[in-house]
Amino acid sequence: MPHGIFAVIDEDIKSIWITDVGQGPYGHTVKQYSPSGSLLKTLGTPGIAGSRLSPLQFDQPADIFIKGEDEVYIVDGDGGMNNRLLKLTDDFSLQWILGGNGTKPCQFYIPHSVAVDDMGRVWVADRGNKRIQVFDTFLGEYIGSWDTCFLEDGPYSVRFTADKKYLVVVQLNISRMLFLAVPPVGGIGDCNVVSTIQMADGVRPHLVDINVRTGSIYVAELGAEQVHKYVPC
């Protein structure tokens, strides 16, 4: 059951990462594929849900984000037992981990998406708690959270626009896409909604991603069972 997706396309590396939340013999894993579809790497223990770190196990890993050449971020817990955020190195060794089921800072309830900005901050869509939590990339230290923008529905997916000025967030149950102003380096303050796109009832946007070269926004929708492309004006 493919869930989260992240494309790494540069001069030296071209690969597609997909998280698998399925309960079958290949599930509970994060897989790396070549652009032609060849399986290159599998993280986790196929078919076994768990919390172990050696060997690495997941329970319905929801999303993955690759930053640069040596930073791998995974949110693990799309309804599973773990509710955690992991940072791995370029050889997929664990650098740090945080989480646990709860409502306190550094705890999650269904961490559903993760993105990293250019100022050393990790942004996690803490879906069940209706908030976004932000952490330092170096040690995973807590920076702050936003919740006032998500009173109606939690954030399901987070990605940055190509110019890094806005955080794009989709909310499934109210079929809405938000554009939030990205704060400068340091503390994040309060969330500021710059713009919204209200989709038709029942569209149910699930995940969002950005083409960093063209700025186009792609939204995968559960209700409509299709992908919408939005082009910046």
Side-chain angles (χ1 to χ4, degrees):
M1 186 181 289
H3 191 272
I5 185 170
F6 189 89
V8 180
I9 306 295
D10 58 33
E11 294 181 358
D12 300 321
I13 303 174
K14 294 178 174 61
S15 62
I16 309 297
W17 288 88
I18 295 177
T19 68
D20 187 344
V21 300
Q23 302 293 329
Y26 307 107
H28 304 297
T29 52
V30 179
K31 302 181 179 76
Q32 180 190 26
Y33 293 90
S34 71
S36 63
S38 298
L39 180 63
L40 304 176
K41 182 76 174 179
T42 299
L43 303 179
T45 307
I48 299 177
S51 302
R52 295 182 61 180
L53 300 178
S54 182
L56 187 61
Q57 294 178 330
F58 300 112
D59 186 1
Q60 301 177 57
D63 195 20
I64 181 171
F65 194 97
I66 311 293
K67 183 67 173 176
E69 298 180 355
D70 57 358
E71 298 180 38
V72 180
Y73 299 86
I74 298 171
V75 281
D76 179 24
D78 184 30
M81 68 179 83
N82 291 331
N83 291 290
R84 61 188 184 179
L85 167 66
L86 302 91
K87 180 182 180 181
L88 308 180
T89 62
D90 57 348
D91 64 354
F92 308 112
S93 300
L94 181 67
Q95 184 165 343
W96 52 254
I97 182 172
L98 55 86
N101 189 5
T103 60
K104 296 179 180 178
C106 302
Q107 294 181 329
F108 304 106
Y109 179 44
I110 311 180
H112 200 254
S113 182
V114 58
V116 181
D117 64 22
D118 291 336
M119 292 173 280
R121 298 176 299 198
V122 188
W123 300 70
V124 177
D126 188 3
R127 192 185 93 184
N129 285 324
K130 292 186 177 181
R131 65 185 178 182
I132 289 175
Q133 293 198 70
V134 185
F135 309 92
D136 166 68
T137 58
F138 186 60
L139 295 174
E141 294 181 348
Y142 177 77
I143 294 176
S145 65
W146 286 347
D147 57 11
T148 56
C149 293
F150 311 112
L151 300 179
E152 295 180 81
D153 191 23
Y156 273 67
S157 185
V158 290
R159 286 292 187 266
F160 292 96
T161 54
D163 59 12
K164 311 300 183 183
K165 292 182 180 180
Y166 307 104
L167 183 67
V168 184
V169 183
V170 294
Q171 297 172 287
L172 181 142
N173 294 300
I174 58 176
S175 296
R176 181 180 297 168
M177 181 160 55
L178 304 177
F179 294 81
L180 308 180
V182 175
V185 63
I188 62 171
D190 297 324
C191 59
N192 176 22
V193 179
V194 176
S195 180
T196 65
I197 295 177
Q198 183 61 55
M199 303 173 184
D201 291 343
V203 169
R204 294 165 58 86
H206 188 236
L207 292 174
V208 63
D209 216 333
I210 311 294
N211 185 322
V212 296
R213 295 178 179 174
T214 67
S216 298
I217 301 170
Y218 295 84
V219 181
E221 304 161 353
L222 294 184
E225 295 185 350
Q226 60 189 7
V227 176
H228 276 186
K229 176 183 178 181
Y230 296 83
V231 179
C233 297

